[in-house]
Amino acid sequence: MKTLFLATALLFSSLMVSATETKVMIRAKAKDAKFIGSSLGGAHIIIRNKLNQQILAEGNTTGSTGNTDLIMKTPKVRGNSIADEQTGGFLATVDIDEPTFVTIEAISPLNNKQAQAVVSTEMWLIPGKNIVGEGIILEIPGYIIDILKPRTHQYIGLNTIKNKPFLFQANVVMMCGCVIEKGGVWNSDEIEVKGILKKDGKFIKNVDMSWVSTNLFEGSDVITTAGNYELILYAYHAKTGNTGVDKVNYVIFD
């Protein structure tokens, strides 16, 4: 009996020891921009066993958005990394005892729900075969758009805005937090920002939005009737196909 117990214990111990620590660097990179790191709250990374959906590792990317010249201005050559030691990422440690097919998921941006996207890939992890350095890069599409004026469900008296322009204002940034400015790397002249205005559920008109300062776009229209209004504001970059949207509802009352 003791011999059987000892044999079972040794077998269990050997199975436990056979699991090998494997490191995997995961990075989230904004489409047509830089990496998502600490300044934006990071991207949330989840590594799951594809077979049974067991979570093997999860955490947030931390670090910088990376080197602008290296990422955006230097031609990409095979073997050359666009990330350095400071660049945002999540270094996962996974314990596996055999080659394991996994799903790697990035959820970003964490703190801007209206812009949040989920991007994933699938691959084999091999015990003890680390994937570090530049690691695995997941691209996050979109723009982070926050409508600043009018505010959500704001009640506005018609008499306070009659016969004068009603201001629409929005903050628009890349998914890494990188700035949009006139003539900059992310040139405001190349990004179409417009509002779609609705009243009581029906389309009224499009509203042109113009860049006024870093990340800030403004437009205006004359509102003459009371009702329940909705502004759908979008950003669109024709060269890359990148898009983003935010919506706000507000009330104009007599």
Side-chain angles (χ1 to χ4, degrees), residues 84-98:
D84 55 31
E85 291 183 359
Q86 286 74 45
T87 302
F90 169 62
L91 183 60
T93 300
V94 178
D95 291 322
I96 50 177
D97 56 14
E98 63 180 3

Side-chain angles (χ1 to χ4, degrees), residues 35-65:
F35 290 92
I36 298 163
S38 302
S39 64
L40 203 63
H44 190 67
I45 307 297
I46 305 173
I47 302 179
R48 290 187 175 92
N49 185 320
K50 173 72 173 179
L51 182 64
N52 58 19
Q53 296 302 300
Q54 177 189 2
I55 294 178
L56 303 177
E58 68 176 315
N60 295 343
T61 61
T62 58
S64 77
T65 57

Side-chain angles (χ1 to χ4, degrees), residues 157-166 221-225 252:
L158 183 60
N159 64 328
T160 66
I161 60 172
K162 208 166 186 177
N163 301 319
K164 59 183 178 181
F166 182 79
D221 188 44
V222 176
I223 295 178
T224 58
T225 58
I252 304 295

Side-chain angles (χ1 to χ4, degrees), residues 103-248:
T103 300
I104 302 173
E105 184 177 276
I107 305 166
S108 185
L110 281 178
N111 298 329
N112 300 85
K113 300 297 184 183
Q114 84 284 3
Q116 199 171 87
V118 179
V119 177
S120 65
T121 190
E122 297 177 345
M123 63 177 294
W124 286 98
L125 295 183
I126 312 299
K129 305 302 179 183
N130 298 329
I131 303 172
V132 290
E134 185 175 271
I136 297 164
I137 298 175
L138 297 177
E139 184 177 80
I140 311 294
Y143 294 96
I144 300 173
I145 302 177
D146 293 296
I147 296 174
L148 306 177
K149 292 182 180 180
R151 303 188 310 274
T152 298
H153 212 246
Q154 182 178 0
Y155 275 71
I156 303 163
L158 183 60
N159 64 328
T160 66
I161 60 172
K162 208 166 186 177
N163 301 319
K164 59 183 178 181
F166 182 79
L167 181 66
F168 302 105
Q169 193 177 72
N171 193 70
V172 184
V173 300
M174 306 303 293
M175 291 290 268
C176 54
C178 299
V179 300
I180 296 171
E181 56 190 354
K182 201 170 189 66
V185 175
W186 298 277
N187 189 352
S188 60
D189 291 339
E190 297 180 352
I191 301 173
E192 177 185 328
V193 180
K194 281 191 177 181
I196 300 168
L197 191 61
K198 292 182 177 183
K199 175 180 173 290
D200 299 324
K202 296 181 180 179
F203 172 80
I204 300 176
K205 62 177 65 176
N206 291 316
V207 178
D208 291 327
M209 303 286 289
S210 301
W211 180 89
V212 292
S213 63
T214 301
N215 300 331
L216 187 64
F217 290 79
E218 290 183 351
S220 63
D221 188 44
V222 176
I223 295 178
T224 58
T225 58
N228 297 311
Y229 284 81
E230 180 180 36
L231 176 67
I232 304 170
L233 195 141
Y234 71 82
Y236 167 67
H237 188 226
K239 289 182 179 179
T240 61
N242 210 18
T243 59
V245 170
D246 192 21
K247 300 180 182 182
V248 68

